[in-house]
Amino acid sequence: MADVAQEGSPHPQDEFSWGHAALRVDFAVAADGTLRLVGLGRPGEVRVADPESALPLVELTALGHGSGWSGPRFTGTAFGTRLKYRDHHTGRRGEGEWLTVELHDPSTGLTAFVELTSPSALPVLRSRVRLRNDGPQPLVVQSVSSLLIGGLPAPDALDVHRARNDWLAECRWYAEPLRATVADINVDAHQHDSRSALVLTGRGSWPTDGHLPMGALTDRGSGRTWLWQIESPAGWRWDLGERAHGTYLALNGPTDAEHQWRIRLAPGEEFTTVPGVLAVGSGFDAAMGALTSYRRAIRRPHPDHTALPVVFNDYMNTLMGDPTTEKLLPLIDAAARAGAEYFCVDAGWYDDSADGGWWDSVGAWQPSSRRFSDGGIRAVLDRIRERGMVPGLWLEPEVVGVRSPVAAALAPDAFFQRDGVRLTEQGRHQLDLRHPAARAHLDKTVDRIVGDWGVGYLKLDYNIVIDPGTLAPGDLAPGAGLLGHAHAYLDWLSEVLDRHPRLVIENCASGGLRMDGATLAVTQLQSTSDQQDPLRYPPIAAAAPTAVPPEQGAVWAYPQPGFDDDLIAFTLGGALLGRIHLSGHLDRMSQRQLALVRDAVSTYKTIRPDLARAVPFWPLGLPGWTDEWLALGMRSPDDRTSYITVWRRGGEPELSLPLRHLADGEVRVEILHPSSAPTGSAVWDGAGLRVALPRTPGVLLVRLTAGGLVP
């Protein structure tokens, strides 16, 4: 490390470096006294920029203190040039390095602490900004950056990658030249940087509805990649623009302009932004590998992350929210025979209405007496345990139906509101988890279900979206209320797991509409989609590891008795490099069909220890929604073992997959799925894998072992 220091010691100086063996960050003080990040990358590869052309370390806007110029981007702010460098401190905590930089504005008394961390051995930088009002007057903040990087290559050299994320069509990455948005205006002729910017935002209580809070830049010549994520459970924004013949990146949480977010800092009060994270790599796959390892390093520890048990869920293409004792018992028995280790009863278990109209009456979370006979739901849960599985239940904790008795029983301030009016969305109210009554209601619910009933798995869903938020007493703006609730929800989840440390929590919001880094750091599994068409799931399954580590990414596999063998293999094969979310009418299958399911589950159990450590790669590039061939790979940390799933939905029956990390060596090839009657072939040719799938739909899971050794 270039700047070695004892923890807590100050080092005011004009230039300094910080980092570790995998990452170096360079700083310099500009002529105006502000600190600039002038270099970022692996040691020996850092290109140091001119401090005068780099961005200040923090940009923020506040009422009465706007920007130095007008435009759609939050750079060039008045505070950006007034927050002067005062001190920095370095140290080490656990397996990572940390750096805190102190900036101060003498005119208002505002102090900003830029808190940087990086896990050792990973080229990943995490940044958040803590503001403290040390002045005599209140300050209303409208935006504050989490991470600012300037001095990147010019827009002409860069492609920008984004990921559309819609219901039933998650994780759809696409790329275009940055110049397609940030036009070349001939900066020298105008003596001014362009005002244009490529801006992406996420809004509302579904933070990943529309796009993932991620992006990447790739240098077209070298392949060098800068990959980022914003760890916000509510609103977020990132933008790219041109500055001083280079490119800048700005990562923000919610803002006043886009999210109706602002906060008032009274003297002595503090606020901390959501984190922004940047990974660097020699290419997209390398940067994503580093980000995957970072996600594992910062999440809450849990046994599920290494055990990777197989979950059967009764919803998708099966009971679809209509569970009864009569329907569940044979399904439980069949799931156990197939090798499932958890069995989750999904939506409907609380529904006593004859017409299924439970949508606007949920909230009490008591079991239906109409649906469950001979011992009620506890008898069903006992049957799951008798068959050697852990019982689970679906819950949508944050919503209360307008017809629920809970809606009248809880205090008005326990719900989202605007102008004194309780909000209603699709016949439901939204709980505000900052309110003690809302929290107590959910604590009582979970402690009954988990503590009294012995449920070991909760699928927590969320099927409404509130935009822009709530104005509870003390909230200055609805976006601030939403962010406050979102953080309180994550705190509540952490407290639930503190009380019930073996409980496994799946995060779901109509599939993947809450697939953000903040929530994934707390929960154990993430639903990747509600997609019910097995032919449309492969691009979601193939791209899901961009958003979530494979051991957390729940991928539906719903084989049906009406499927032929190829389609059964196809729908099962798509889940084998993630977390199997098994479903389907297994109880109606023939013994031969059930054996196909059992073989796939057995294969998964042999490879899951590797998946808990592997990082993803994409031999054919990130998948397109209509691609006929798709491929997802997982490679072990030592590169000795790689797994590749290949799907064919059309096109020519043969394909070659380049695998540079294994090229020019001896490689053993094994087809793991389908195991009983492979539908294709895979051969190593010295530079890559030649795959043949003569029929569509077709799938292969292949294990490649470097050196030709049996793993």
Side-chain angles (χ1 to χ4, degrees):
M1 187 188 305
D3 179 22
V4 180
Q6 298 298 314
E7 184 170 338
S9 62
H11 328 236
Q13 55 196 84
D14 291 339
E15 296 181 0
F16 63 93
S17 299
W18 167 81
H20 48 71
L23 182 73
R24 171 177 158 171
V25 189
D26 294 314
F27 302 90
V29 178
D32 62 3
T34 61
L35 190 67
R36 314 290 175 102
L37 193 158
V38 295
L40 172 71
R42 288 185 175 272
E45 301 176 356
V46 178
R47 185 181 70 171
V48 178
D50 177 4
E52 303 306 319
S53 64
L55 286 168
L57 206 55
V58 174
E59 298 267 23
L60 68 91
T61 58
L63 293 181
H65 309 269
S67 297
W69 58 296
S70 296
R73 58 199 207 184
F74 294 137
T75 58
T77 65
F79 267 111
T81 58
R82 284 173 17 200
L83 284 165
K84 311 301 183 184
Y85 167 61
R86 197 154 72 173
D87 257 340
H88 73 274
H89 303 78
T90 63
R92 182 178 178 85
R93 293 193 188 102
E95 298 299 317
E97 307 288 338
W98 65 267
L99 164 70
T100 298
V101 176
E102 184 176 338
L103 312 173
H104 185 69
D105 172 33
S107 64
T108 62
L110 181 67
T111 303
F113 300 91
V114 184
E115 299 174 347
L116 304 175
T117 56
S118 181
S120 299
L122 293 179
V124 179
L125 178 68
R126 184 181 198 247
S127 174
R128 64 181 188 178
V129 176
R130 177 167 53 92
L131 301 178
R132 186 177 70 205
N133 186 357
D134 292 327
Q137 300 297 325
L139 188 69
V140 176
V141 179
Q142 298 172 280
S143 70
V144 54
S145 60
S146 294
L147 177 63
L148 288 172
I149 303 290
L152 298 175
D156 307 82
L158 298 175
D159 290 324
V160 59
H161 307 259
R162 290 169 277 177
R164 293 187 178 96
N165 200 71
D166 299 307
W167 184 50
L168 310 179
E170 290 84 352
C171 300
R172 291 177 295 133
W173 286 83
Y174 61 106
E176 65 178 1
L178 183 56
R179 274 290 184 223
T181 300
V182 181
D184 183 354
I185 62 167
N186 191 347
V187 169
D188 292 335
H190 298 88
Q191 298 299 302
H192 202 293
D193 286 326
S194 170
R195 296 179 187 267
S196 69
L198 173 55
V199 180
L200 205 64
T201 63
R203 299 173 57 185
S205 53
W206 279 343
T208 58
D209 181 22
H211 278 84
L212 293 178
M214 299 179 64
L217 284 172
T218 299
D219 186 296
R220 212 169 294 121
S222 67
R224 183 171 176 79
T225 299
W226 298 264
L227 172 70
W228 60 87
Q229 70 176 19
I230 303 171
E231 296 175 353
S232 175
W236 54 270
R237 164 194 166 115
W238 61 256
D239 60 280
L240 294 162
E242 189 170 14
R243 175 182 168 83
H245 300 287
T247 299
Y248 79 84
L249 166 68
L251 306 184
N252 282 68
T255 69
D256 192 7
E258 281 118 344
H259 308 94
Q260 297 186 40
W261 175 93
R262 61 186 183 277
I263 56 163
R264 175 181 284 106
L265 290 181
E269 288 187 334
E270 293 189 355
F271 169 78
T272 302
T273 69
V274 301
V277 179
L278 183 72
V280 295
S282 56
F284 186 92
D285 287 0
M288 187 58 72
L291 188 63
T292 300
S293 297
Y294 157 83
R295 288 166 171 166
R296 289 169 172 152
I298 60 97
R299 71 190 174 193
R300 178 189 178 99
H302 196 283
D304 185 80
H305 295 320
T306 53
L308 278 64
V310 175
V311 177
F312 185 97
N313 182 295
D314 70 19
Y315 188 84
M316 195 62 69
N317 286 346
T318 310
L319 301 188
M320 299 296 290
D322 188 27
T324 66
T325 299
E326 292 70 27
K327 293 177 180 179
L328 283 168
L329 295 186
L331 203 53
I332 290 167
D333 294 347
R337 290 196 299 271
E341 294 153 303
Y342 281 63
F343 189 105
C344 182
V345 180
D346 208 280
W349 59 268
Y350 39 79
D351 175 27
D352 252 337
S353 61
D355 59 358
W358 53 263
W359 177 265
D360 61 356
S361 63
V362 296
W365 307 115
Q366 295 289 348
S368 168
S369 58
R370 181 181 64 86
R371 292 180 173 275
F372 304 107
S373 57
D374 300 327
I377 195 171
R378 291 196 183 220
V380 171
L381 301 177
D382 287 343
R383 180 67 160 261
I384 294 170
R385 280 186 284 266
E386 289 168 4
R387 294 298 183 262
M389 297 180 291
V390 176
L393 285 178
W394 178 96
L395 203 64
E396 197 170 354
E398 291 163 86
V399 302
V400 173
V402 296
R403 294 193 296 116
S404 171
V406 177
L410 293 182
D413 288 351
F415 298 91
F416 273 33
Q417 57 187 288
R418 296 280 302 278
D419 297 325
V421 178
R422 185 185 301 189
L423 300 184
T424 302
E425 179 66 25
Q426 290 183 265
R428 291 165 159 202
H429 302 307
Q430 164 86 39
L431 289 172
D432 189 336
L433 267 292
R434 296 174 296 175
H435 196 281
R439 208 151 172 148
H441 162 65
L442 293 188
D443 282 339
K444 183 178 179 181
T445 298
V446 170
D447 290 347
R448 179 181 70 251
I449 292 172
V450 178
D452 297 344
W453 300 356
V455 167
Y457 184 100
L458 289 179
K459 176 178 178 178
L460 301 186
D461 210 341
Y462 181 60
N463 292 302
I464 64 171
V465 60
I466 300 290
D467 186 13
T470 180
L471 271 175
D475 291 332
L476 188 61
L482 175 60
L483 184 61
H485 158 77
H487 281 140
Y489 173 68
L490 296 182
D491 289 342
W492 173 72
L493 288 179
S494 294
E495 291 179 2
V496 166
L497 289 166
D498 288 342
R499 295 198 307 276
H500 307 286
R502 302 295 298 183
L503 176 68
V504 175
I505 294 178
E506 175 194 344
N507 179 54
C508 181
S510 290
L513 301 186
R514 202 187 230 176
M515 198 154 40
D516 61 277
T519 307
L520 283 167
V522 179
T523 57
Q524 287 69 63
L525 281 90
Q526 170 64 53
S527 176
T528 56
S529 187
D530 283 348
Q531 177 57 250
Q532 297 183 70
D533 184 344
L535 296 179
R536 283 179 169 82
Y537 214 127
I540 301 171
T546 62
V548 54
E551 67 273 19
Q552 289 180 270
V555 177
W556 287 101
Y558 29 64
Q560 301 293 354
F563 289 1
D564 63 21
D565 289 359
D566 285 349
L567 191 52
I568 288 175
F570 190 83
T571 187
L572 289 165
L576 297 181
L577 290 185
R579 286 295 294 275
I580 294 183
H581 247 42
L582 191 62
S583 196
H585 288 288
L586 306 186
D587 54 319
R588 303 177 187 174
M589 283 186 162
S590 68
Q591 289 301 313
R592 180 184 56 79
Q593 290 176 318
L594 192 60
L596 297 177
V597 178
R598 188 164 51 245
D599 287 350
V601 171
S602 296
T603 295
Y604 178 77
K605 291 178 180 179
T606 66
I607 71 172
R608 61 186 174 186
D610 289 337
L611 298 183
R613 303 178 299 118
V615 295
F617 66 99
W618 292 270
L620 300 178
L622 291 171
W625 186 247
T626 59
D627 286 357
E628 296 175 319
W629 283 86
L630 307 98
L632 167 65
M634 293 288 166
R635 52 199 284 188
S636 63
D638 61 4
D639 274 344
R640 292 186 58 82
T641 305
S642 298
Y643 298 94
I644 298 177
T645 297
V646 185
W647 297 264
R648 181 186 170 219
R649 299 188 292 180
E652 296 297 320
E654 295 188 10
L655 185 74
S656 292
L657 281 73
L659 298 171
R660 286 187 291 272
H661 70 286
L662 293 173
D664 302 323
E666 185 180 356
V667 176
R668 175 185 172 88
V669 178
E670 302 167 88
I671 295 176
L672 302 182
H673 176 79
S675 60
S676 56
T679 55
S681 63
V683 178
W684 181 253
D685 64 8
L689 191 68
R690 286 189 288 111
V691 177
L693 283 167
R695 302 190 300 274
T696 58
V699 68
L700 288 178
L701 171 63
V702 180
R703 176 164 55 200
L704 304 173
T705 308
L709 301 175
V710 177

